[in-house]
Amino acid sequence: MDQLNDIEKAALDALASVVTEEALQAWKTAQLGRSSPLMQVFAGLGKLSKEERPAVGSAANRVKVAIEAALAARETEIKAAALAKSLEEDALDVTLPGRTVNVGRLHPSTQQLRRVLDILKEMGFQVYTSREVETDEMNFQMLNFPLHHPARDMQDSFYVESEGRGDNPILMRTHTSPGQIRAMREYAATNPQNPPPIRIALPGMCFRYEQITSRSEMQFNQVEGLAVGEGITFADLKGTLSDFARRMFGQNARTRFRADHFPFTEPSAEMDVECFVCGGKGCSVCKRSGWLEILGCGMVHPVVLQNGGYDPKRYSGFAWGMGPERQLMLRYKIDDIRYFWGNDVRFLEQF
Amino acid sequence: MKLPISWLKDFVDLDGLSVEDIARTFTFGGLEVEEIHYAGLPMPKDAASNEFKTSGIGWDRDKIVVAEIREVKPHPNADRLTLLDLFDGTQEQVVLTGAPNIFHLKGTGKLAKPIKVAYAKEGSTIYDGHADGLVLTTLKRAKIRGVDSYSMVCSEKELGISEEHEGIILLDDDAPVGMALVDYIGDAVLEVKINPNMARNANVYGLARELAAMTGRDLRSLPDFGGLKGGAGNFAEIEIVDPQLNPRFVLGLIRDVEIKPSPYWVQRRLRLAGVRPISNIVDATNYAMLELGEPLHAFDYDVLNERAGKKQVKIITRAAQDGEKLTTLDNVERTLSSMNVLVCDEKGPLSIAGVMGGAESEVYDASKEILEAKAIEPKEGEPTMGKINMRGKSTTNVLLEGAAWNFINIRRTAKQHNLPSEASFRFSRGVHPALAEMGVRRGLQLMAEWSGGKIEAGLVDNYPLPPKESVVEISTRDVKRILGIELSAQEIASLLERLEFKCEIRETIIDTRKSKNELSNIEHRISVTAPPYRLDIGEGVVGVADLMEEVARIFGVERIPETRLADPLPPQVGNPAFEWDERVRDILVRLGLQEVVSYRMTSPEREGRLAAHNEYARIANPITPDRNVLRRSLLASALEAAEKNVRAESLELFEIGPIFEPVKNDLPRELPRLAIVLTGLRAATSWDVKDSPALDFFDLKGRIELLLAGLRFVDVTYAPTESVAYLHPGKAAEVKVNGQVVGVFGELHPLTKEKYELGARPVLAAEFNIETLRALSPAYGIVPVAEFPPVYEDIAIIVDESVAASRVEGLIRQTGGRSVSDVRLFDVYRDEKIGANKKSLAYSLTYQAADKTMTDAEAAAIRNKIVKRLEHEVSAKLRS
Ligand SMILES: [Zn+2]
């Protein structure tokens, strides 16, 4: 009996200094292996007397269970310690930068054009594109800018060299409006007696003879809208453009209309949207006024309708024009318009 | 147009309207106020959040007052300074000044007639007169050369009225001493933008009329011209050669005019309106022009008499002859052309009509030469006053011209001679001939008041071509149809009558069967006659639109309701070409490319670096010499974009847009193109990526393959090409889709690359005709996904260098047929052991049966067939 107590004590004492998986295996062999003192006790049971055997046997079993329990407990401890160690060793510097992938982007102007056109398409305005180099006739005369008219001062043009064209020189379009004439004529040609209604959006690059500075560019995008039909009113214009403004600038965007002048619309107006930066309180973006000038609009001038093949006594319509780059400048607080065609990727990759 | 509020007040009662209310009313009515300049009147409390751009100052009513100088005394310690005995209405003050315009009174004792001045007391805030620009300062007590100074008499600059700081303001004699200066001359100036349709309102009276109409107030009538209405004058004759050029010409005469400065209130108003006061005569012409909109021209009648040899003065107006010469009053000899109109006498030209006077016949006063010399040069493009010389005599007789001119001629003349002026600004936008007479009468009246001259009875008036009276018919239905508002005929008429239109309402019976929306068969039509100050109301449908604009403006654009389109939605047809380009953009962006957008204008030199073209659509008026043609190569644009980003480690750029192919004397062809440029490292350098390989030919080709696959093209072939001069002859390929060439790509030729600053790494470039691509049909259907397991096998074959990989792959696919579902080249290997001019191509093949599991034996059989074919066709050897 004392021998068994000694075996147990010796085993547990030895276990105290075991800290590795290997040492634990060695200890297990030493304490529970075939030649271990405990197993020797079991092996010697047969030699004991019948009287002694049960007591020694049960005592040996108790010691075996105790040693095995200690083994299991230590095994768990050692595994946990090993795992903790390996987790610690595997730790990363999570502040190192992540691995990037090469991301492609659309030019910000393309992105803005899409925002605008997506809304207009949902409102039933279809995209109509036309050429960038135009005749004076299409760019001005058909749009009620007569030759030598003061209204032409508002849009200085780049001319393309040509000869013998008289009062119809070739020029870079100053607005997408010649597309209005082209579209109306195309639509009207399908049924000259009863031309169909029109709702189109005209996006594209336009050109004005202006020095390139932080505030003015010789080239810029424009999106115009045109609706022509029987019974389209100025009230419809206001409703449609306010709808557009809510889609574009937020559900609570307020609008206001001021009378203005454009040769190809009459009456004409300017639409302001409440400044979305300051909510109308006044800030540097809206120049303290609380309002942002967003677009010019008006009822299509009867001369323009006529030139497009629509009888102004029967048809009416409205048109408006706006600048995606200007919208971007307001939206992202871009203070230099030259960024747009500068093609510096450090600018482009911010969108 | 600079509009002083005080002047506006002459014609409309402004009670209850703040300066900002007035500005807002104008702005909403189509006369945008671009800036408010406060010259005395109180600025709004929180100027920072004002809805208008503002400048100037408001004057403290307790601190800035009218005062009188009673004596000008010398300063004990400074010769240039004087001490003023001044009375501010409550107290006597001693004020120090260096003002030159009272210096001559120094030491002359008590003044017989005290001088009225603008006096700023201690603590007032005014502008620093000596500072450059406008710097606010507050008056504090200080000792200047031993004398206490705490207040001052002010110049116009110090009070924000003008830039004038040559002397102090000398108020008119009737200025009430002690009155707050703001109550006496406090003002604000609205800078009103005059759009072409508002040309008639480039004057105080026109703007007053608009304000009255929009606020429902009364417009005061013009000043009474008194006894000026006498019959025809006989002091001159007028001959008009071409009434189309000169529909009316009016002359008035005033005798014994004493030329001297105008009263201070006149000078102040002119300066606020942006016009420099010169003398009472010149000021009267300018004042009348600013007030009524009719530019006037003053001639020295004695000079004309002299030229006429003491006979009757005869004025002739006619087109100039080409090459005719006239020295204008700025002493420039101008060579004229037939588009210019001249005012002449029988001896020759006197002035360029409506634009600038001639030097000889100007009213002249030698004493004013100094002022003349100081004339501020106009800023480019800004209208300025015609400068007027004066020829010294104690009194002068002045012949005053008011006329109407063809606006196109004036416009072209002012442009041709680069002579923008207040007069040509107005005449080139059209001035109604009715104003010619009114202007002359007003001008004469002002001259008489300010110069003591005597107006000669009657006018000489030649009016061969009165404008056609403009009468337009509109109806209540027009207003409903165009504006979307229901107004009665009376309401419409009363809106228009506020702008002096004459309206006559008639009831007409209409045929209701023709228009389904009519409830009544009675329509109210209004016959509207345009007032005699407007030339802008058209005929017929144009006239209707012109009147709709007026109804909308006076009714209030803001008051028109917002409705949704009720008109039927047109058929929705989309825009396939536009949508196609957008799809190409999307795919390229997915592949990691950045879109750029370049200028359409370039120069042959810029583009010549890539490819030389002889023919270009050339810009006739380029803004810079390096943007003088329309681009013919989109790739050149994209390469320039890459060049701008040369410091970037890696660039993958594309642009989609038109190039312009010239057509002689016609519109150029606009051809849509796609350009791609790749250069730099394949992977960005980072803490665990050190030596990334550079992007090369196959990086570009891979993207092109993915682009075309993304567009669902399957019949795509690549062939080497040496025909593209700017590409490396051994690293260039032509792409065909469905057998049609759609583009080329490759590595930039070393000689081309040298011309760009693009760093050391290869530059890959592609140019596609996306118009051709758009027209090609994409694949129909999909490749079924195999159900049974395939067999994979790698084979390596050795072929001559000259055998293209695409040929080998083609043969493998052709021979394998449907049983070989994939062929992937995974290695290209060259080695001495293989032999000179040989290469090893290693392929990974996938053998696949559609209806069962492919066995190794079956795969081996197919492979043997392929190898035999390759041996036969391209002398390939299987590498063991
Ligand atoms: Zn704001």
Side-chain angles (χ1 to χ4, degrees):
Chain A
M1 288 298 180
D2 286 349
Q3 192 198 351
L4 277 168
N5 285 338
D6 291 347
I7 287 171
E8 183 182 0
K9 187 172 181 299
L12 294 180
D13 285 353
L15 186 60
S17 60
V18 170
V19 288
T20 66
E21 190 82 20
E22 297 75 42
L24 189 66
Q25 282 308 321
W27 178 87
K28 189 181 170 187
T29 311
Q31 304 306 329
L32 296 169
R34 199 166 292 178
S35 53
S36 65
L38 182 59
M39 289 304 135
Q40 293 301 319
V41 173
F42 279 108
L45 280 179
K47 289 175 196 157
L48 293 179
S49 67
K50 266 188 182 160
E51 293 73 30
E52 277 179 315
R53 211 177 287 160
V56 174
S58 86
N61 262 326
R62 183 193 59 76
V63 171
K64 188 181 174 216
V65 167
I67 290 175
E68 279 171 350
L71 168 69
R74 176 46 57 104
E75 200 165 21
T76 308
E77 275 171 38
I78 288 175
K79 274 195 179 145
L83 178 63
K85 189 168 175 249
S86 102
L87 288 178
E88 200 187 311
E89 283 169 0
D90 289 351
L92 300 176
D93 177 357
V94 297
T95 64
L96 284 173
R99 258 171 229 117
T100 59
V101 291
N102 192 22
V103 177
R105 292 173 186 85
L106 290 170
H107 189 280
S109 292
T110 308
Q111 295 182 30
Q112 185 67 9
L113 277 166
R114 284 191 180 187
R115 282 182 205 114
V116 170
L117 293 176
D118 285 350
I119 295 168
L120 293 178
K121 280 187 261 183
E122 281 179 32
M123 293 171 73
F125 290 82
Q126 320 219 9
V127 177
Y128 184 92
T129 42
S130 66
R131 52 175 27 266
E132 295 181 0
V133 188
E134 275 289 4
T135 60
D136 186 279
E137 188 182 25
M138 295 302 284
N139 191 76
F140 287 127
Q141 296 165 40
M142 286 292 140
L143 291 160
N144 196 36
F145 288 76
L147 287 162
H148 310 299
H149 194 272
R152 291 196 175 206
D153 287 351
M154 296 155 78
Q155 299 190 5
D156 279 339
S157 319
F158 284 108
Y159 289 89
V160 175
E161 282 180 9
S162 64
E163 278 170 20
R165 297 185 55 91
D167 285 337
N168 192 22
I170 296 169
L171 45 77
M172 304 304 290
R173 68 174 173 189
T174 56
H175 43 198
T176 55
S177 318
Q180 294 188 21
I181 299 288
R182 292 184 183 277
M184 279 193 270
R185 286 180 174 180
E186 263 173 44
Y187 275 75
T190 63
N191 188 351
Q193 296 315 308
N194 291 295
I198 300 177
R199 279 181 216 179
I200 51 170
L202 304 102
M205 198 62 88
C206 302
F207 308 83
R208 298 219 181 140
Y209 187 84
E210 282 194 41
Q211 297 297 333
I212 302 173
T213 69
S214 63
R215 306 302 304 170
S216 69
E217 252 295 356
M218 58 191 253
Q219 162 177 316
F220 59 94
N221 276 294
Q222 193 179 46
V223 182
E224 283 188 312
L226 172 71
V228 178
E230 294 179 75
I232 292 179
T233 69
F234 194 87
D236 291 339
L237 172 159
K238 286 184 68 176
T240 305
L241 293 183
S242 290
D243 274 349
F244 171 77
R246 280 185 287 272
R247 290 291 315 278
M248 192 77 215
F249 303 106
Q251 291 173 316
N252 299 316
R254 292 202 299 149
T255 53
R256 69 176 194 188
F257 292 80
R258 296 179 275 119
D260 204 341
H261 169 74
F262 308 102
F264 41 103
T265 53
E266 190 176 27
S268 305
E270 193 78 36
M271 184 179 87
D272 298 337
V273 174
E274 195 169 42
C275 177
F276 47 73
V277 178
C278 63
K281 288 187 206 77
C283 68
S284 64
V285 175
C286 57
K287 299 195 188 87
R288 319 271 165 226
S289 72
W291 295 92
L292 299 169
E293 228 178 274
I294 291 297
L295 56 85
C297 54
M299 299 303 290
V300 182
H301 195 279
V303 165
V304 177
L305 285 171
Q306 237 154 20
N307 290 335
Y310 284 71
D311 177 4
K313 287 189 176 136
R314 179 175 156 198
Y315 292 89
S316 56
F318 61 80
W320 77 95
M322 52 201 169
E325 282 85 36
R326 176 173 157 72
Q327 291 172 358
L328 286 166
M329 291 175 84
L330 295 172
R331 185 183 165 125
Y332 295 109
K333 206 168 192 298
I334 301 166
D335 54 11
D336 193 333
I337 198 170
R338 288 170 293 197
Y339 277 129
F340 287 102
W341 323 129
N343 285 335
D344 191 320
V345 292
R346 292 168 299 177
F347 170 72
L348 299 176
E349 68 194 11
Q350 293 181 46
F351 299 92
Chain B
M1 166 85 196
K2 288 188 161 77
L3 173 66
I5 293 286
S6 63
W7 205 336
L8 185 65
K9 222 172 177 170
D10 287 357
F11 303 111
V12 204
D13 180 3
L14 301 179
D15 279 357
L17 291 176
S18 69
V19 172
E20 299 76 42
D21 290 339
I22 296 167
R24 198 177 305 114
T25 305
F26 278 130
T27 297
F28 276 89
L31 289 153
E32 190 185 350
V33 172
E34 296 178 308
E35 184 174 348
I36 305 176
H37 178 80
Y38 293 86
L41 285 180
M43 289 181 85
K45 286 260 170 338
D46 184 7
S49 68
N50 194 284
E51 61 185 292
F52 296 98
K53 189 180 165 201
T54 59
S55 62
I57 48 172
W59 302 332
D60 188 327
R61 59 185 324 109
D62 301 324
K63 296 202 174 79
I64 303 178
V65 299
V66 176
E68 62 180 26
I69 299 172
R70 294 177 168 175
E71 186 171 354
V72 183
K73 294 176 175 165
H75 187 287
N77 309 319
D79 282 351
R80 295 277 185 86
L81 300 179
T82 54
L83 292 176
L84 309 176
D85 276 351
L86 175 142
F87 179 64
D88 67 6
T90 48
Q91 286 179 47
E92 296 258 357
Q93 311 277 359
V94 176
V95 181
L96 189 87
T97 184
N101 57 340
I102 49 162
F103 191 78
H104 62 283
L105 298 171
K106 183 170 90 166
T108 57
K110 271 242 176 304
L111 299 175
K113 198 173 72 178
I115 295 171
K116 305 289 178 67
V117 291
Y119 175 57
K121 301 181 189 174
E122 185 176 2
S124 340
T125 299
I126 57 172
Y127 286 120
D128 182 348
H130 299 285
D132 279 343
L134 299 173
V135 181
L136 283 174
T137 177
T138 299
L139 296 183
K140 291 190 194 94
R141 205 165 272 266
K143 269 210 189 327
I144 296 177
R145 302 235 178 172
V147 177
D148 240 11
S149 168
Y150 48 87
S151 61
M152 65 192 294
V153 286
C154 302
S155 68
E156 289 199 340
K157 182 178 176 186
E158 282 156 345
L159 292 175
I161 295 171
S162 74
E163 298 284 296
E164 192 61 50
H165 190 58
E166 284 299 303
I168 56 169
I169 298 171
L170 304 180
L171 297 171
D172 292 326
D173 293 340
D174 57 0
V177 173
M179 185 188 246
L181 193 69
V182 57
D183 294 336
Y184 181 51
I185 55 168
D187 219 327
V189 181
L190 307 183
E191 177 78 59
V192 184
K193 184 177 163 200
I194 302 291
N195 281 329
N197 66 329
M198 289 284 179
R200 63 180 184 279
N201 291 325
N203 53 80
V204 177
Y205 194 68
L207 290 170
R209 183 193 289 117
E210 293 286 335
L211 183 70
M214 290 188 283
T215 55
R217 291 170 186 235
D218 288 337
L219 177 69
R220 291 194 195 115
S221 41
L222 282 166
D224 182 12
F225 299 132
L228 296 175
K229 289 194 174 135
N234 56 7
F235 44 83
E237 269 175 61
I238 301 165
E239 184 191 334
I240 294 173
V241 174
D242 184 352
Q244 293 292 344
L245 298 178
N246 178 200
R248 189 176 194 181
F249 199 98
V250 180
L251 287 169
L253 181 64
I254 180 165
R255 292 188 189 275
D256 302 329
V257 158
E258 187 198 340
I259 294 174
K260 58 182 182 183
S262 305
Y264 177 69
W265 69 269
V266 173
Q267 297 190 28
R268 189 184 63 89
R269 276 192 178 179
L270 290 176
R271 282 213 186 87
L272 287 175
V275 171
R276 207 164 56 84
I278 292 180
S279 72
N280 50 1
I281 299 307
V282 179
D283 292 355
T285 62
N286 286 332
Y287 192 99
M289 173 185 69
L290 291 169
E291 188 171 81
L292 298 175
E294 169 71 24
L296 300 173
H297 189 79
F299 292 99
D300 188 325
Y301 187 58
D302 303 330
V303 172
L304 297 188
N305 252 324
E306 200 75 35
R307 283 169 61 104
K310 310 284 182 197
K311 285 188 288 190
Q312 174 74 306
V313 171
K314 184 176 179 187
I315 299 290
I316 303 152
T317 72
R318 59 168 171 86
Q321 284 146 17
D322 279 319
E324 202 171 350
K325 289 189 166 58
L326 172 67
T327 301
T328 44
L329 58 84
D330 51 359
N331 284 317
V332 176
E333 190 187 62
R334 299 190 183 265
T335 306
L336 306 169
S337 74
S338 60
M339 80 167 84
N340 308 138
V341 183
L342 293 177
V343 177
C344 314
D345 62 6
E346 285 179 300
K347 260 187 97 181
L350 298 169
S351 68
I352 305 178
V355 175
M356 194 179 244
E360 192 184 347
S361 58
E362 290 310 306
V363 180
Y364 181 83
D365 176 355
S367 68
K368 294 297 178 206
E369 286 223 303
I370 303 153
L371 272 175
E372 184 59 31
K374 276 191 217 150
I376 301 154
E377 280 307 307
K379 271 191 242 154
E380 205 180 327
E382 215 171 63
T384 61
M385 278 298 163
K387 291 183 228 158
I388 296 193
N389 276 331
M390 319 235 162
R391 191 174 289 102
K393 277 174 281 178
S394 64
T395 63
T396 307
N397 302 320
V398 174
L399 187 68
L400 187 60
E401 165 203 322
W405 306 106
N406 179 306
F407 73 91
I408 290 174
N409 288 82
I410 302 291
R411 189 181 148 76
R412 296 176 73 178
T413 301
K415 277 206 158 178
Q416 178 196 356
H417 296 291
N418 191 22
L419 281 173
S421 67
E422 293 274 353
S424 69
F425 175 86
R426 287 169 174 80
F427 277 135
S428 67
R429 284 161 176 76
V431 176
H432 197 288
L435 292 173
E437 183 195 338
M438 217 188 281
V440 170
R441 290 190 187 283
R442 180 64 169 149
L444 291 173
Q445 183 191 36
L446 295 173
M447 285 178 191
E449 259 175 45
W450 303 339
S451 75
K454 289 185 290 293
I455 300 167
E456 184 98 346
L459 299 177
V460 183
D461 183 0
N462 193 343
Y463 195 179
L465 190 64
K468 220 174 106 192
E469 192 171 60
S470 175
V471 183
V472 181
E473 283 249 312
I474 58 168
S475 70
T476 49
R477 238 158 39 97
D478 291 327
V479 172
K480 174 92 176 86
R481 189 174 77 91
I482 303 295
L483 301 182
I485 46 175
E486 304 252 16
L487 293 179
S488 70
Q490 283 72 21
E491 286 171 314
I492 296 165
S494 79
L495 290 172
L496 291 171
E497 278 160 1
R498 288 198 224 164
L499 289 174
E500 299 171 24
F501 287 93
K502 285 201 182 67
C503 298
E504 216 177 286
I505 301 172
R506 283 185 291 106
E507 280 185 6
T508 50
I509 308 295
I510 53 164
D511 186 351
T512 51
R513 285 168 305 178
K514 274 191 189 160
S515 79
K516 47 191 189 277
N517 299 324
E518 293 308 317
L519 297 172
S520 156
N521 63 343
I522 295 175
E523 187 189 46
H524 289 98
R525 300 200 68 80
I526 312 163
S527 171
V528 183
T529 307
Y533 66 89
R534 298 185 66 146
L535 290 168
D536 63 321
I537 303 297
E539 290 179 3
V541 286
V542 174
V544 173
D546 293 339
L547 293 178
M548 288 308 122
E549 177 173 44
E550 297 309 276
V551 171
R553 277 191 329 109
I554 305 304
F555 177 79
V557 168
E558 269 298 89
R559 286 175 60 205
I560 295 176
E562 298 192 355
T563 55
R564 219 145 263 132
L565 281 165
D567 194 58
L569 190 67
Q572 301 285 294
V573 292
N575 186 328
F578 181 80
E579 286 155 21
W580 170 270
D581 292 358
E582 290 288 77
R583 205 170 134 215
V584 173
R585 284 191 175 90
D586 282 338
I587 296 171
L588 291 168
V589 165
R590 279 209 303 273
L591 295 173
L593 278 78
Q594 168 70 54
E595 186 188 20
V596 296
V597 178
S598 308
Y599 288 106
R600 268 44 166 179
M601 291 172 209
T602 181
S603 69
E605 294 73 32
R606 281 164 179 266
E607 282 207 344
R609 295 190 289 171
L610 186 70
H613 293 280
N614 293 323
E615 301 295 319
Y616 274 103
R618 289 178 189 277
I619 302 297
N621 56 335
I623 209 145
T624 63
D626 62 343
R627 302 238 175 253
N628 59 355
V629 299
L630 294 179
R631 69 180 175 201
R632 293 206 58 180
S633 163
L634 189 63
L635 182 55
S637 294
L639 282 168
E640 281 187 34
E643 216 174 9
K644 282 189 195 163
N645 293 287
V646 66
R647 277 188 296 272
E649 192 173 52
S650 163
L651 282 174
E652 301 189 31
L653 308 178
F654 77 97
E655 179 163 5
I656 290 177
I659 60 166
F660 302 85
E661 229 176 65
V663 177
K664 202 167 173 55
N665 297 328
D666 207 342
L667 291 171
R669 278 186 284 275
E670 296 179 18
L671 307 171
R673 292 288 183 269
L674 158 68
I676 301 175
V677 173
L678 262 52
T679 186
L681 299 182
R682 193 171 299 155
T685 302
S686 71
W687 52 275
D688 66 342
V689 178
K690 292 290 176 292
D691 300 306
S692 166
L695 290 160
D696 67 20
F697 180 89
F698 294 102
D699 290 288
L700 176 56
K701 185 174 177 193
R703 281 153 183 75
I704 289 168
E705 286 165 343
L706 287 168
L707 167 67
L708 296 173
L711 294 167
R712 295 188 50 78
F713 291 123
V714 288
D715 179 7
V716 181
T717 54
Y718 299 86
T721 177
E722 291 183 22
S723 65
V724 185
Y726 62 78
L727 292 178
H728 187 304
K731 297 178 181 177
E734 188 178 72
V735 191
K736 281 184 182 170
V737 174
N738 300 355
Q740 272 210 58
V741 178
V742 294
V744 292
F745 69 95
E747 191 177 314
L748 223 51
H749 194 291
L751 294 178
T752 305
K753 191 171 165 246
E754 249 174 33
K755 296 176 193 158
Y756 287 87
E757 282 172 38
L758 281 169
R761 299 189 186 99
V763 175
L764 297 318
E767 209 171 12
F768 279 78
N769 182 339
I770 52 173
E771 201 171 25
T772 313
L773 266 184
R774 274 181 209 154
L776 298 171
S777 335
Y780 181 66
I782 58 158
V783 178
V785 177
E787 258 182 79
F788 298 94
V791 171
Y792 300 104
E793 189 188 35
D794 294 345
I795 61 167
I797 54 145
I798 296 164
V799 290
D800 281 353
E801 272 296 353
S802 61
V803 177
S806 62
R807 171 131 171 80
V808 176
E809 186 180 324
L811 286 168
I812 295 173
R813 286 188 184 277
Q814 210 180 36
T815 315
R818 258 178 298 178
S819 304
V820 174
S821 64
D822 193 26
V823 180
R824 198 162 50 80
L825 179 67
F826 71 89
D827 192 26
V828 179
Y829 179 75
R830 293 176 181 83
D831 190 292
E832 285 164 15
K833 287 177 214 153
I834 299 171
N837 287 323
K838 299 274 184 193
K839 63 187 171 191
S840 158
L841 302 172
Y843 290 93
S844 179
L845 305 186
T846 307
Y847 302 97
Q848 176 80 55
D851 49 355
K852 62 187 175 73
T853 301
M854 175 74 72
T855 64
D856 288 349
E858 286 163 337
I862 300 164
R863 185 229 305 133
N864 290 339
K865 233 169 92 186
I866 291 171
V867 172
K868 275 219 176 75
R869 179 90 188 273
L870 292 174
E871 284 169 354
H872 180 71
E873 299 270 342
V874 293
S875 311
K877 278 199 195 85
L878 190 65
R879 221 177 136 208
S880 44

